[in-house]
Amino acid sequence: MSITSLYIDPGTGSMLFTVLLSILGAAFYSLRMLIVKIRMKTGGKNVADNYKRIPFVIFSDDKRYWSIFDPICREMDKRGKDVVYLTCSPDDPALSSPYKHLKAECLEGNKMFSRLNFLNATIVLSTTPGLDVYQWKRSKTVQYYVHIPHAASEIILYRMFGIDYYDAILLSGEYQANDIRKLEKLRELPEKELLTVGIPYMDEMAKRYEAVGPAPEHPRTVLLAPSWGKSAIFSVWGKKIIDALLKTGYHVIIRPHPQSFKSETEMIERLMSEYPNSDRLEWNRDTDNFEVLRRSDILISDFSGVIFDFTLIYDKPVIYTDPQFDTSLYDAWWLKDHQLWTTTALPRLGKQLTDESMEHMKELIDSCITDTQYAEGRRSVKAETWEHFGEGAVRVADYLEKRYEELTRKEK
């Protein structure tokens, strides 16, 4: 047999790994049930004790989501609630957090999926979409899966079926709930529990900004923060937009989406090589984006959620690209006759970038910064997508506690 005949392509390998996990999971679960039944018949401990079930688990697939979970973990810690935090990043700040009721663990690759798929917990909270769609399967010994979005924007812009198999979704605005209900009806899915709690991480950023105030006086600074994919800024315009920004004479910061460094490595490396760091341009990859947003006077982006972080927390205008992008891979595709909330929000926050306006980039930036009409737009958008301002972490912790009590009461 040749070496070539033994090759298994990545897609097939992933499928075989998933099948193997399912078989092992079924066997593991059956064995556990048998042990529990034997102990119950012989006067053993309570079923819940035999399970050694973890009350609360948080799963984060990347360290950049620590900002989402930090205020929630802090609130749970204040209440004396033990939380197990599972992360895929060996340098996740959660691993060195000071919270005594938080136990953080790092597992990478298939080891993490193995742990998640056999997890024994009452509640799992995560920002990660794709539960029970890809390698991450619902564990038979997890009672409740709760999703919290990682941005104050459209929840139907997840990859297709991204949130279908969660039990509950924690939202920031009523429009998100309306969209989820429409999807559930179209797909004939059971209704999930939906609760509007606000945005804990944005509450934290707002507190930080209020404490330190605006950045010291500095040259006018433009932040270019594209998303990734074929509809994103670099895929559409490439280096043309960088050239246009440099011609303005302003200081330029480029902060690509973290996924670009994984999915668009060649393109990003080429751009970084052609436009190296200088006194006029810098590339930013800070895990915490607070300071780079604070010292930027205007943001240019496409459909990235950072638009709402920037304009609603720092009260500054944005320049955005055409929001009509290809939805074929996203949940939004199912709502074909539905206008995305984002397309109604962006014109209230700033001006659109086109091929024509790029030829006058400096004038576009100046007019957007000095125009006063966008202040009222920011207030209206904030009211729609950031409910319960300042209360996010408390409301999430309240919900988790309440749901845990209900689940364990039913079990007992």
Side-chain angles (χ1 to χ4, degrees):
M1 182 181 295
S2 68
I3 295 176
T4 305
S5 65
L6 295 175
Y7 172 76
I8 300 177
D9 66 87
T12 304
S14 177
M15 181 184 68
L16 291 174
F17 178 75
T18 301
V19 171
L20 178 61
L21 282 180
S22 300
I23 295 172
L24 291 175
F28 182 76
Y29 183 73
S30 299
L31 178 61
R32 176 180 286 174
M33 292 299 99
L34 178 61
I35 293 172
V36 168
K37 289 178 181 178
I38 292 172
R39 288 187 177 180
M40 288 180 68
K41 289 181 179 180
T42 57
K45 294 183 179 181
N46 179 279
V47 175
D49 292 333
N50 286 330
Y51 275 150
K52 295 181 181 177
R53 179 174 287 154
I54 304 168
F56 304 101
V57 172
I58 291 176
F59 167 55
S60 175
D61 62 79
D62 193 276
K63 64 182 179 181
R64 66 181 182 271
Y65 299 125
W66 173 241
S67 62
I68 311 294
F69 295 117
D70 183 17
I72 299 170
C73 291
R74 187 186 315 126
E75 183 63 29
M76 295 292 280
D77 188 68
K78 285 196 299 185
R79 302 180 185 204
K81 303 298 179 182
D82 293 328
V83 176
V84 172
Y85 191 100
L86 301 178
T87 176
C88 296
S89 298
D91 56 346
D92 194 311
L95 296 166
S96 57
S97 81
Y99 309 135
K100 68 176 184 177
H101 291 282
L102 183 71
K103 180 184 178 183
E105 304 174 24
C106 175
L107 291 171
E108 298 180 73
N110 291 333
K111 290 182 179 179
M112 177 58 80
F113 291 118
S114 298
R115 176 71 186 279
L116 290 170
N117 295 350
F118 301 146
L119 193 62
N120 186 13
T122 303
I123 295 177
V124 174
L125 174 68
S126 181
T127 63
T128 306
L131 172 65
D132 229 28
V133 178
Y134 302 113
Q135 284 178 284
W136 181 22
K137 305 300 180 184
R138 285 182 63 108
S139 169
K140 295 179 184 295
T141 44
V142 169
Q143 289 183 281
Y144 219 67
Y145 285 91
V146 181
H147 178 79
I148 185 168
H150 61 262
S153 58
E154 224 89 33
I155 201 162
I156 55 174
L157 290 183
Y158 281 133
R159 293 291 175 122
M160 208 172 283
F161 316 115
I163 57 173
D164 279 8
Y165 304 108
Y166 275 94
D167 299 298
I169 315 289
L170 304 181
L171 305 173
S172 66
E174 188 62 28
Y175 72 96
Q176 296 169 329
N178 295 335
D179 290 346
I180 292 173
R181 292 296 184 228
K182 290 176 183 177
L183 279 177
E184 290 171 340
K185 187 174 181 180
L186 281 170
R187 295 176 183 167
E188 299 182 347
L189 295 169
E191 287 192 351
K192 289 175 276 294
E193 182 181 11
L194 304 181
L195 185 69
T196 304
V197 296
I199 315 174
Y201 84 90
M202 285 181 65
D203 291 339
E204 289 296 303
M205 291 181 74
K207 289 178 187 175
R208 287 176 66 184
Y209 188 56
E210 184 179 358
V212 301
E217 188 174 344
H218 58 278
R220 180 157 287 180
T221 300
V222 182
L223 173 61
L224 176 63
S227 188
W228 65 283
K230 63 180 182 180
S231 299
I233 283 177
F234 281 148
S235 296
V236 175
W237 279 307
K239 63 182 185 179
K240 179 180 178 181
I241 190 170
I242 301 179
D243 289 334
L245 287 172
L246 290 174
K247 287 179 182 178
T248 65
Y250 296 144
H251 185 71
V252 178
I253 303 174
I254 305 177
R255 181 181 170 85
H257 192 284
Q259 189 63 36
S260 290
F261 291 97
K262 300 176 182 179
S263 302
E264 303 169 324
T265 307
E266 183 179 347
M267 177 185 68
I268 294 297
E269 288 181 349
R270 183 177 68 252
L271 290 173
M272 292 181 72
S273 175
E274 290 187 41
Y275 299 90
N277 283 312
S278 66
D279 58 346
R280 293 274 316 286
L281 180 147
E282 62 177 288
W283 293 83
N284 181 274
R285 294 188 67 179
D286 294 345
T287 301
D288 182 356
N289 65 4
F290 179 83
E291 281 301 329
V292 72
L293 296 182
R294 177 174 173 249
R295 61 191 179 93
S296 300
D297 299 301
I298 192 167
L299 169 72
I300 300 177
S301 190
D302 32 51
F303 43 87
S304 173
V306 74
I307 284 177
F308 300 102
D309 293 358
F310 182 79
T311 193
L312 301 185
I313 294 172
Y314 300 87
D315 199 26
K316 300 173 184 177
V318 299
I319 294 173
Y320 61 92
T321 60
D322 184 358
Q324 300 300 323
F325 66 100
D326 181 13
T327 63
S328 59
L329 297 176
Y330 304 91
D331 278 330
W333 180 87
W334 289 73
L335 307 179
K336 295 180 179 180
D337 299 325
H338 169 77
Q339 184 178 21
L340 293 174
W341 175 84
T342 302
T343 64
T344 71
L346 291 178
R348 291 178 276 167
L349 301 175
K351 297 186 177 182
Q352 183 177 332
L353 179 66
T354 62
D355 284 312
E356 294 73 23
S357 62
M358 194 183 298
E359 299 298 323
H360 310 280
M361 181 68 83
K362 187 175 187 302
E363 291 81 358
L364 178 65
I365 291 171
D366 292 345
S367 64
C368 203
I369 290 176
T370 56
D371 197 329
T372 59
Q373 69 171 303
Y374 300 116
E376 177 56 36
R378 291 193 288 272
R379 284 191 287 271
S380 65
V381 170
K382 185 175 182 179
E384 294 169 8
T385 195
W386 192 356
E387 296 186 33
H388 306 302
F389 177 81
E391 303 174 12
V394 171
R395 285 179 174 268
V396 172
D398 285 346
Y399 167 77
L400 294 176
E401 278 195 286
K402 179 182 177 182
R403 175 55 60 214
Y404 176 78
E405 290 171 2
E406 292 171 347
L407 291 168
T408 53
R409 188 186 307 124
K410 288 179 181 178
E411 185 180 60
K412 290 177 183 178

